[in-house]
Amino acid sequence: MSHLDVVRLLGLDPSAASSEGSGHGRVVPEDFELLVQALPMGVVAGSVVLEQPDVPVRSLEDFTKDTAPRVANMEEALRTREQELPLALFPQPGGMVPWARTARDGVLLWDTTDPDTANWTTVLTDADFQLWLDFPFSASEFVARTLQGRPEGVPAFESPEEYESGSWWNVADDMRGTATVLADPGIGAVEEVVTKVRSIGVPGIRQYAEELLSRAMSESFDALPEDYLAVMKEFPGGVIAGVQVFPATRAAWLTEDRLFLQWGELQGRVFGWLTAQGSPEDWRVAYIEPTGTALTCLEDQTFATFLRRRLRGNNSLF
């Protein structure tokens, strides 16, 4: 999808949006620069606010100047939790670069590993940087999917004034509801993890996660644990509380006898399930040391309980 698709979804006149521009794409992706040229300042689908730089962008130093305080908060929060960034941040070579924010104070960034700006993909993190979601999308495709996935009644676009008098109140109500659910001491592990993922509040995420899960189930797996299915219907892959959780399409059997199914990584350790028990509901989290010489089964931990413990600040493996 291109910036023109976003323009059409917003009901704007495509002929007024340039399809190419002099100097675009040299520092940041061309589709982003054309997108911000085509759109006024405001909120997309009650959830995404684009940065509004002067275009064409002349340097990443200038482009990231206004987001530097938020990036500093990000780094400090992760240091406090003894967690690492999933990727480096600019100005390190190939480091992530923020290009938008969410209505719930999350951050959208580019993965700039590829030297060609046209191939930069999207990373989304939540307000407290515990969730990092990976998307193989340009800025335009991410915004287009956000528009297509918005609930009925949510405006496609609002000026800042319209948003503050309209959608902002719905977002605030939803955030209060989320906080109430997460504060319940009797909350189940699956509900807690799923509620946390949903709290990002950007439409389109669930649809993409379901696409990946459906593909994995049709191509690779007959059955998987219910808690994993419930989470991966919401989470398209990335990091949860420091744990790299693969997209469902990347989960893989590591042994020919199908006794170990990998779903992620943590600090060089391979994480998955020890599947000696026949039923997926009886599978328990296990990990293999980086040397590959030892396998440990966390006999009391399912996929969801392990992630919940991490989200609550318990980084121990036992």
Side-chain angles (χ1 to χ4, degrees):
M1 294 185 188
S2 73
H3 72 290
L4 292 173
D5 295 301
V6 176
V7 169
R8 293 187 186 98
L9 286 168
L10 290 173
L12 303 176
D13 181 5
S15 64
S18 171
S19 60
E20 58 183 39
S22 175
H24 294 316
R26 296 176 181 174
V27 178
V28 300
E30 180 183 48
D31 82 291
F32 172 80
E33 293 185 297
L34 295 174
L35 189 62
V36 297
Q37 276 189 320
L39 303 185
M41 183 175 292
V43 183
V44 177
S47 61
V48 173
V49 184
L50 300 178
E51 295 295 326
Q52 294 285 333
D54 294 329
V55 293
V57 175
R58 302 300 181 186
S59 74
L60 283 179
E61 287 79 8
D62 287 343
F63 183 74
T64 58
K65 180 172 57 179
D66 291 342
T67 57
R70 189 69 175 134
V71 168
N73 291 342
M74 183 185 300
E75 294 178 309
E76 178 59 27
L78 293 175
R79 273 197 300 270
T80 300
R81 298 188 182 107
E82 299 181 346
Q83 296 173 6
E84 298 179 354
L85 283 159
L87 294 168
L89 283 164
F90 178 81
Q92 295 188 47
M96 294 184 291
V97 173
W99 58 267
R101 62 182 174 85
T102 75
R104 303 190 187 191
D105 208 23
V107 183
L108 281 153
L109 309 99
W110 284 302
D111 176 348
T112 71
T113 305
D114 194 300
D116 186 346
T117 61
N119 296 327
W120 288 4
T121 54
T122 296
V123 178
L124 169 61
T125 186
D126 67 327
D128 62 359
F129 318 121
Q130 284 287 72
L131 305 174
W132 296 79
L133 288 69
D134 296 328
F135 301 94
F137 305 144
S138 67
S140 290
E141 182 164 0
F142 183 87
V143 173
R145 282 177 170 260
T146 298
L147 284 164
Q148 291 170 330
R150 74 188 190 277
E152 185 177 351
V154 173
F157 185 85
E158 296 166 285
S159 69
E161 295 76 19
E162 289 170 333
Y163 171 76
E164 289 170 4
S165 63
S167 293
W168 183 87
W169 295 98
N170 295 329
V171 170
D173 288 343
D174 191 45
M175 291 175 67
R176 280 191 291 269
T178 297
T180 299
V181 172
L182 292 175
D184 180 359
I187 189 173
V190 175
E191 185 181 5
E192 185 167 341
V193 177
V194 168
T195 299
K196 182 66 176 170
V197 174
R198 288 178 179 170
S199 71
I200 295 172
V202 177
I205 293 175
R206 181 184 174 97
Q207 288 90 332
Y208 178 57
E210 287 182 332
E211 288 174 24
L212 295 178
L213 185 58
S214 177
R215 193 187 315 161
M217 295 301 292
S218 65
E219 296 176 355
S220 304
F221 304 106
D222 296 324
L224 291 167
E226 287 296 329
D227 63 340
Y228 176 82
L229 296 173
V231 172
M232 299 310 288
K233 283 179 181 176
E234 311 280 345
F235 188 75
V239 173
I240 299 178
V243 182
Q244 183 75 46
V245 179
F246 297 159
T249 48
R250 280 189 56 199
W253 297 100
L254 295 192
T255 56
E256 291 185 3
D257 55 11
R258 297 166 71 94
L259 288 178
F260 190 92
L261 177 57
Q262 183 183 9
W263 51 256
E265 294 178 354
L266 173 62
Q267 298 173 347
R269 298 178 176 92
V270 172
F271 268 75
W273 294 286
L274 193 60
T275 63
Q277 299 292 335
S279 170
E281 299 317 304
D282 295 326
W283 294 354
R284 292 297 178 264
V285 170
Y287 65 89
I288 301 172
E289 293 291 348
T291 59
T293 57
L295 184 150
T296 303
C297 182
L298 306 181
E299 296 182 358
D300 63 337
Q301 295 297 318
T302 67
F303 177 77
T305 61
F306 180 73
L307 293 179
R308 175 176 65 175
R309 191 168 65 169
R310 297 278 305 186
L311 284 167
R312 291 182 173 186
N314 183 350
N315 291 335
S316 67
L317 295 179
F318 297 99

